[in-house]
Amino acid sequence: MKRREFLDDISKESLEQIIPCFLPKKKQYQRGSVILSYPDASNQPMHIGILETGAARLEVLGADGEMFQLEGFQQGDVFGEMFTLPLTNYEYIVTAEEDCRVIFLDYEHVITPCEHVCSHHTQMISNLFIMTAQKTQEMSFHLSVLNQRNTREKILCYLKYVRMMEDIAGDEEFRIPMTLSKLAEYLRVDRAAMTREIRGMKDEGMLESKNRWFRLLA
């Protein structure tokens, strides 16, 4: 499934007309600053954040004090309370990885059609709920990867998922959407250990790789 974007099928002219309805607020954040935090997904959504420039990450803090990164955000990505898993006893923290600028929209104004019930506002609401479902699937998959027994199984699980999402058949080559350093963070494994595991799988004829390009072999 093609990843849905917040402004899909909405023209620039239409956006200029309906954006004022959402009470937008722009804020600047320095690297390392907390952009948004919320205790868990049981709370009523308040904000929808759009990353206009820079990069950020979503981390989860458990009741035991353990923290791990759940998702990375790039320019144009959307985040907020509604884009999280229905888990309790967790705190979600969005942090700036670079200096960045964020546009905040008021959740209630986004999901409530204006008095004219314009088609573009309806399209935006449709995009928003499709994005919520897709992001929930991505986060659920990430948790399933982290639950794999060892580094090798984590790598294979992730690579098979990327191959499937890119609709790559058989042993065709595909490119992962992150650097190897970011992949190690995503898998929560040591970068050197991950590199050794990939080298071992190449020696065993399980895969081929060069930088971010991979090919899974039968």
Side-chain angles (χ1 to χ4, degrees), residues 162-212:
V162 172
R163 183 177 65 177
M164 179 186 68
M165 294 304 293
E166 294 295 326
D167 197 22
I168 302 298
D171 60 357
E172 291 182 35
E173 190 177 44
F174 59 91
R175 185 175 185 267
I176 64 173
M178 63 180 78
T179 65
L180 294 182
S181 294
K182 288 293 183 182
L183 177 59
E185 291 180 14
Y186 180 88
L187 301 178
R188 296 188 70 203
V189 299
D190 178 73
R191 165 68 188 274
M194 184 188 75
T195 302
R196 286 195 300 271
E197 198 63 60
I198 291 174
R199 188 182 303 119
M201 287 189 282
K202 290 168 68 173
D203 291 342
E204 294 172 30
M206 297 177 65
L207 59 79
E208 295 177 356
S209 72
K210 184 177 182 181
N211 299 323
R212 294 167 65 173

Side-chain angles (χ1 to χ4, degrees), residues 29-48:
Y29 295 91
Q30 294 184 331
R31 180 180 179 181
S33 301
V34 173
I35 298 173
L36 188 65
S37 65
Y38 36 99
D40 57 51
S42 63
N43 286 359
Q44 172 67 24
M46 299 292 291
H47 308 94
I48 297 173

Side-chain angles (χ1 to χ4, degrees), residues 1-216:
M1 178 186 294
K2 176 183 177 293
R3 185 171 183 180
R4 178 71 62 164
E5 300 294 340
F6 190 53
L7 302 179
D8 278 358
D9 302 321
I10 298 174
S11 68
K12 182 178 179 181
E13 292 75 17
S14 298
L15 181 63
E16 291 174 351
Q17 293 176 10
I18 61 179
I19 274 293
C21 298
F22 305 150
L23 304 180
K25 295 180 181 179
K26 289 190 178 184
K27 292 188 178 182
Q28 299 278 155
Y29 295 91
Q30 294 184 331
R31 180 180 179 181
S33 301
V34 173
I35 298 173
L36 188 65
S37 65
Y38 36 99
D40 57 51
S42 63
N43 286 359
Q44 172 67 24
M46 299 292 291
H47 308 94
I48 297 173
I50 303 174
L51 193 63
E52 188 174 28
T53 63
R57 64 180 182 272
L58 173 64
E59 296 175 306
V60 178
L61 177 65
D64 57 1
E66 184 179 13
M67 178 179 285
F68 63 90
Q69 181 172 331
L70 192 59
E71 190 176 7
F73 301 123
Q74 301 298 322
Q75 182 176 337
D77 281 343
V78 179
F79 57 87
E81 296 96 331
M82 70 178 298
F83 300 112
T84 53
L85 296 170
L87 304 173
T88 56
N89 300 319
Y90 285 87
E91 181 177 4
Y92 295 86
I93 304 169
V94 180
T95 305
E97 288 196 322
E98 305 171 358
D99 291 352
C100 58
R101 184 166 62 247
V102 178
I103 302 172
F104 286 104
L105 305 179
D106 181 76
Y107 172 79
E108 288 296 333
H109 283 78
V110 171
I111 66 169
T112 304
C114 59
E115 59 183 6
H116 303 295
V117 195
C118 64
S119 61
H120 300 292
H121 197 152
T122 303
Q123 180 65 55
M124 187 174 287
I125 294 173
S126 175
N127 291 346
L128 188 63
F129 282 97
I130 292 173
M131 287 174 64
T132 303
Q134 291 179 337
K135 282 181 174 288
T136 300
Q137 290 173 346
E138 291 171 2
M139 290 182 189
S140 296
F141 170 73
H142 190 184
L143 292 177
S144 73
V145 171
L146 296 179
N147 283 328
Q148 299 300 307
R149 293 180 298 177
N150 52 51
T151 299
R152 174 172 292 201
E153 291 187 7
K154 289 181 179 182
I155 295 169
L156 287 174
C157 183
Y158 174 76
L159 292 178
K160 289 176 181 178
Y161 175 77
V162 172
R163 183 177 65 177
M164 179 186 68
M165 294 304 293
E166 294 295 326
D167 197 22
I168 302 298
D171 60 357
E172 291 182 35
E173 190 177 44
F174 59 91
R175 185 175 185 267
I176 64 173
M178 63 180 78
T179 65
L180 294 182
S181 294
K182 288 293 183 182
L183 177 59
E185 291 180 14
Y186 180 88
L187 301 178
R188 296 188 70 203
V189 299
D190 178 73
R191 165 68 188 274
M194 184 188 75
T195 302
R196 286 195 300 271
E197 198 63 60
I198 291 174
R199 188 182 303 119
M201 287 189 282
K202 290 168 68 173
D203 291 342
E204 294 172 30
M206 297 177 65
L207 59 79
E208 295 177 356
S209 72
K210 184 177 182 181
N211 299 323
R212 294 167 65 173
W213 289 91
F214 286 83
R215 176 183 286 114
L216 293 174

